[in-house]
Amino acid sequence: MLIYNTTFHVEGEELLSPFLTYMRDVYLPAVLRNGHLRNPRFVRLLTDVGDNLIGYALMCEVDDVQALKKWKL
């Protein structure tokens, strides 16, 4: 099993609500649709990522590199 991580940076509080809505309603369902990635963990990063930037990470489990390659296609 592998953990596939994607990090996002949101510029400013005014974009945070639309970003979170998009992640919940569009991006996350699309990522999980084919079943290769599972057990998503979407977290806010507490580290400083830059001026006026808010960091988030999405981590999902995947069986192996071959399954990840199939998902990315």
Side-chain angles (χ1 to χ4, degrees):
M1 179 192 66
L2 302 171
I3 302 293
Y4 183 69
N5 180 71
T6 306
T7 304
F8 303 88
H9 296 123
V10 181
E11 189 170 352
E13 291 286 335
E14 64 278 355
L15 296 177
L16 188 56
S17 182
F19 167 74
L20 294 174
T21 299
Y22 171 78
M23 291 299 288
R24 181 189 67 234
D25 295 344
V26 178
Y27 190 83
L28 194 53
V31 164
L32 300 175
R33 187 169 296 128
N34 67 12
H36 292 298
L37 299 183
R38 61 186 181 281
N39 298 327
R41 291 179 291 273
F42 185 62
V43 298
R44 183 170 179 166
L45 303 176
L46 298 178
T47 59
D48 183 21
V49 293
D51 290 338
N52 203 31
L53 293 176
I54 304 164
Y56 281 86
L58 174 63
M59 296 164 275
C60 295
E61 295 176 7
V62 61
D63 288 332
D64 51 37
V65 173
Q66 290 78 21
L68 182 60
K69 287 180 181 179
K70 288 178 185 176
W71 172 80
K72 291 175 91 175
L73 295 176

